[in-house]
Each structure stands twice: as structure tokens, then as C-alpha cells.
């Protein structure tokens, strides 16, 4: 049981964590801070937090657990704002979708207190953001990737794993590099393709007419294109290197199929579609490695 959660970023992910922690009886009080005072006030009105803090530093004051749930590009500034109150007994976690950039920021800013920081990425979320969409069920049954580094304190790592498990999550440990490479392939590239596909259709002369004819396949395929633009701008730029490598892989795969369509090679085209169909059928959501 924690005395006080210092929540920085009272949006979808942070708000959901606070609600889940409260519902599980794991925290006595939640002190929250967000960039806009109106967000923090709304979080208090909704019962997501108990006390509004006027700064990130004051949200951390007296906390034994801290969650950073801000856009990944805001991590370094947030850590700078709180570093004077960080102690070795405090558990600090984040929920950022990329890990190498977040860890680099934490190394630069926290220095001797880096051991308190356990980098986390809950593989949960929605394409809608904001505290209005916070949901205590968001994390139940989901995977959380933790990417400890050599200096992460074993006790804080243990605490972090236990907290997520108490919220009903399956915790998986990975190296930060391995995390960013994998999520470039299965999250960042698919979002990029969805954004580009929608823009491509919308930008055509008859694009709106085409949208009106689209069926459930198009709806499923493009659902993630409705995601928050600022959050995704940050993620795509933060994982630039791995994402561009996955773009090359995708381009090669697309060009191979384009070439078969151009040449009318029905047998080879069927072969590639069959390969994809088999791989998709074998893939099981949530399968552990
Ligand atoms: P969100 O609903 O927009 O919440 C972000 C919150 O951070 C907002 O309350 C925002 O405040 C606050 N904020 C922004 N900059 C800040 C700063 N400099 N200092 C303090 N607060 C700041 O976004 P979210 O979906 O919860 O995403 C949060 C993090 O979770 C991101 O790092 C994202 O990569 C990660 N994540 C998201 C998902 C998903 O599906 N959404 C999944 C996995 C991981 P204002 O309201 O005042 O702007």
C-alpha cells in the first residue's frame, strides 16, 4: 500500500492508472498535476485525483510512488522539474510508448537517483485521449513492458512489477532497444501507414465519395488514424531510427507485391497473399514469447 501517488499528466493513461490504483486499494491519496490547470481541476472533479498540485514538483512532494504520464517529449522537462525531491525510496515510473529516449532523459537528469526510475510501457490505450476517457479497467488483462537498465534498483523494479500485476497486468521485461525495435514494427509503422493511407484517400478529388463507400475492413484498418496528433508526432520522432528501418522493410514488401500486380503474375501474387494470411492466422494476440 502506498501513501501517496504523485501523478504528472492527468490524461487517459495517468487518470486510468490513478483510478485503478484507488480501486485496488493500493494508495491512500493521489496528488495530480497537468499542464493546464483546467485538466487538473477536471481530474479532481471526476475523483481521479484527490488534490490538485500547482506544479510537478509539488505533486511529487510527499509521494512514495510517482507516475509520469505525459507525452514522451515532455519527459526530460518533467524530470528536471521534480529531480530535487526524488529520493532513493521513491518509485518513479513512466508509461511512454518509446523507451530509449525516455531512458536517455532519465540518465541525464536523475543521475545518482536513476535507480528509482523504472521505465514502463503498458500496451493498453485508446485512440481517444484526455482524462474524460480515463477508465479503471484500461490496464486489466494487458501487457506491460518494463525495460530496466543496469542501474535500476532491484527493489524498485520488484515494486513496479508488483503494482502492475496487482492491477491485473502481465509484466514482460525487455531491453529498451529490443522494445523500440519491436514497437516500431507492430505499433509505430502501422500508425504511420494508417495516417498516410487516410491522407492519401482524403487528398484525392473523389476521396470523400470513396470514404462513403468504405466497409468494415477499411474501418478496422484505419481506426488508429484517429489517434492524438501531438502524441503520435512525438512517438514517431522519438523512435525515428527504428521506425525508418521498418519503413524500408515495408516498402520492400509493398514493392514486391506491386511488381507482381504489374506483371500479372497471379500465382506468385497468390503465394504472397497466402504467406501473409498464414502468418496472420498463426499470430495470437497476447501470446507470450
Ligand atoms: P493524454 O490523455 O493527452 O494525457 C497527457 C497528459 O499529460 C495531459 O493531461 C496533459 O495535460 C499532460 N501534459 C502534457 N505535457 C505536460 C507537461 N509538460 N507537464 C505536465 N503535464 C503535461 O495522453 P495519454 O494517452 O494519456 O498519453 C500519455 C503517455 O502515455 C504518452 O507518453 C504516450 O506515449 C503513452 N501511451 C499512450 C497510449 C494510448 O493509447 N493513448 C498507450 C500507451 C502509452 P493537458 O491536458 O493540460 O494538456
Amino acid at each position: 500500500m502506498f501513501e501517496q501517488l504523485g501523478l504528472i499528466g492527468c490524461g487517459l493513461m495517468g487518470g486510468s492508472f490513478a483510478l485503478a490504483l484507488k480501486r485496488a486499494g493500493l494508495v491512500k491519496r493521489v496528488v495530480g498535476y497537468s499542464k493546464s490547470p483546467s485538466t487538473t481541476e477536471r481530474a479532481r472533479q471526476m475523483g481521479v485525483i484527490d488534490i490538485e498540485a500547482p506544479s510537478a514538483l509539488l505533486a511529487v512532494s510527499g509521494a512514495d510512488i510517482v507516475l509520469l504520464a505525459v507525452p514522451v517529449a515532455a519527459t526530460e522537462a518533467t524530470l528536471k522539474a521534480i529531480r530535487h525531491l526524488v529520493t532513493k525510496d521513491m518509485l518513479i515510473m513512466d508509461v511512454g510508448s518509446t523507451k530509449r529516449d525516455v531512458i536517455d532523459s532519465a540518465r541525464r537528469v536523475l543521475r545518482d537517483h536513476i535507480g528509482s526510475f523504472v521505465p514502463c510501457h503498458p500496451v493498453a490505450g485508446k485512440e481517444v485521449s484526455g482524462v474524460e476517457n480515463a477508465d479503471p479497467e484500461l490496464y486489466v488483462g494487458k501487457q506491460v513492458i518494463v525495460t530496466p537498465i543496469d542501474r535500476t534498483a532491484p527493489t524498485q523494479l520488484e515494486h513496479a512489477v508488483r503494482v502492475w500485476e496487482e492491477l491485473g497486468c502481465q509484466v514482460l521485461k525487455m531491453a529498451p532497444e529490443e522494445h523500440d525495435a519491436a514497437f516500431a514494427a507492430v505499433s509505430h509503422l502501422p500508425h504511420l501507414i494508417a495516417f498516410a493511407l487516410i491522407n492519401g484517400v482524403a487528398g484525392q478529388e473523389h476521396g470523400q465519395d470513396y470514404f462513403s463507400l468504405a466497409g468494415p475492413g477499411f474501418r478496422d484498418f484505419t481506426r488508429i488514424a484517429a489517434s492524438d496528433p501531438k502524441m503520435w508526432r512525438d512517438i514517431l520522432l522519438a523512435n525515428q531510427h527504428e521506425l525508418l528501418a521498418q519503413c524500408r522493410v515495408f516498402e520492400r514488401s509493398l514493392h514486391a507485391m506491386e511488381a507482381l500486380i504489374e506483371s500479372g503474375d497471379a500465382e506468385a501474387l497468390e503465394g504472397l497473399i497466402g504467406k501473409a494470411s498464414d502468418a496472420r492466422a498463426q499470430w495470437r494476440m497476447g501470446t507470450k514469447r
Side-chain angles (χ1 to χ4, degrees):
M1 165 72 126
F2 294 98
E3 285 294 319
Q4 185 176 311
L5 167 68
L7 177 64
I8 306 175
C10 305
L12 171 73
M13 301 298 285
S16 299
F17 182 81
L19 288 175
L21 214 60
K22 282 179 166 203
R23 192 176 66 172
L26 291 173
V27 71
K28 288 192 185 155
R29 118 189 117 255
V30 179
V31 180
Y33 167 75
S34 262
K35 200 171 59 170
S36 331
S38 57
T39 301
T40 320
E41 190 185 344
R42 178 110 181 84
R44 188 187 46 75
Q45 284 165 350
M46 288 175 62
V48 167
I49 63 170
D50 304 305
I51 300 166
E52 294 171 44
S55 68
L57 187 67
L58 289 172
V60 166
S61 175
D64 46 359
I65 176 170
V66 171
L67 188 79
L68 308 187
V70 297
V72 285
T75 305
E76 186 148 346
T78 305
L79 288 172
K80 277 184 184 158
I82 66 168
R83 74 171 151 204
H84 297 299
L85 287 182
V86 171
T87 66
K88 69 172 178 25
D89 298 325
M90 192 180 265
L91 168 62
I92 308 176
M93 302 188 291
D94 78 312
V95 292
S97 306
T98 53
K99 295 275 62 90
R100 264 192 312 191
D101 61 315
V102 164
I103 289 168
D104 287 348
S105 294
R107 280 187 199 273
R108 276 194 294 273
V109 177
L110 295 178
R111 294 184 198 158
D112 290 348
H113 288 306
I114 185 80
S116 298
F117 180 63
V118 182
C120 303
H121 173 202
V123 188
K126 302 180 183 178
E127 63 279 6
V128 286
S129 51
V131 71
E132 309 66 43
N133 296 298
D135 173 3
E137 288 284 319
L138 186 73
Y139 297 112
V140 178
K142 304 291 171 20
Q143 278 198 333
V144 175
I145 317 289
V146 296
T147 62
I149 55 169
D150 49 347
R151 295 183 62 197
T152 307
T155 47
Q156 298 301 9
L157 176 60
E158 212 177 282
H159 287 151
V161 169
R162 206 174 319 139
V163 170
W164 290 114
E165 284 179 348
E166 295 258 8
L167 299 187
C169 305
Q170 290 118 35
V171 178
L172 190 64
K173 281 181 210 148
M174 277 175 108
E177 299 73 23
E178 200 189 353
H179 169 280
D180 285 2
F183 281 86
V186 297
S187 172
H188 309 163
L189 178 68
H191 277 81
L192 181 67
I193 293 171
F195 301 139
L197 176 68
I198 289 286
N199 284 342
V201 175
Q204 299 178 30
E205 193 188 348
H206 301 293
Q208 295 309 320
D209 300 333
Y210 297 165
F211 278 139
S212 69
L213 297 168
F218 186 81
R219 196 177 296 273
D220 289 351
F221 189 83
T222 58
R223 176 181 58 80
I224 54 178
S227 300
D228 184 70
K230 286 198 175 69
M231 182 175 99
W232 277 95
R233 172 201 66 192
D234 286 356
I235 294 169
L236 301 184
L237 291 175
N239 203 18
Q240 183 189 46
H241 183 77
E242 296 294 353
L243 176 58
L244 290 175
Q246 287 301 327
C247 285
R248 300 293 95 82
V249 172
F250 176 68
E251 283 157 13
R252 281 198 295 278
S253 179
L254 183 67
H255 290 154
M257 297 192 82
E258 275 177 17
L260 296 179
I261 291 167
E262 217 162 21
S263 65
D265 190 339
E267 199 182 327
L269 184 62
E270 185 183 331
L272 282 188
I273 297 170
K275 211 169 137 188
S277 177
D278 289 348
R280 179 63 175 78
Q282 275 166 25
W283 168 67
R284 291 283 178 274
M285 187 80 156
T287 299
K288 286 192 180 159
R289 298 175 317 156

